[in-house]
Amino acid sequence: MSDALLVVETRERGGALGTLRHALALGRRAFVVTGKTVERAAPLLRQLHKPVVFSIASEPTFDMVRTGAERARGCDLVISFGGGSAIDTGKAIAMLL
């Protein structure tokens, strides 16, 4: 079982930054999974201290998830930002931590 926390919100102005404040009370080192346009996550990334960003451009594959999980080692918080592929990838990575 993972000690990571997965924060998922996709609506524009949907309160993700408010949720982030609660999540950061549980951990500081964030692993952020985004879609191919990382710039969309800029407001979120500015709130984090040295986040590890993992951008995906397509449906997740096993190799992508394994690579993401390796890069997420040492992180205590997984945040998925974007559409379904980013969310699915973030959930799978969080489960492997």
Side-chain angles (χ1 to χ4, degrees):
M1 184 66 86
S2 172
D3 289 333
L5 170 69
L6 176 66
V7 176
V8 178
E9 292 198 33
T10 59
R11 291 183 311 155
E12 195 169 327
R13 298 186 215 346
L17 292 180
T19 303
L20 176 65
R21 288 191 254 317
H22 296 291
L24 289 177
L26 302 172
R28 280 294 188 209
R29 183 128 165 92
F31 183 77
V32 181
V33 181
T34 71
K36 63 182 172 184
T37 310
V38 177
E39 296 79 30
R40 288 183 57 213
L44 170 74
L45 296 174
R46 282 193 293 271
Q47 302 293 317
L48 301 169
H49 179 70
K50 297 183 181 179
V52 177
V53 179
F54 187 65
S55 176
I56 62 160
S58 63
E59 292 292 322
T61 64
F62 291 120
D63 287 339
M64 255 187 235
V65 171
R66 277 192 287 270
T67 298
E70 288 170 10
R71 290 190 54 202
R73 297 279 178 225
C75 294
D76 48 16
L77 168 65
V78 176
I79 302 172
S80 292
F81 186 93
S85 294
I87 292 169
D88 291 345
T89 303
K91 289 189 288 189
I93 290 168
M95 289 181 64
L96 292 177
L97 295 180

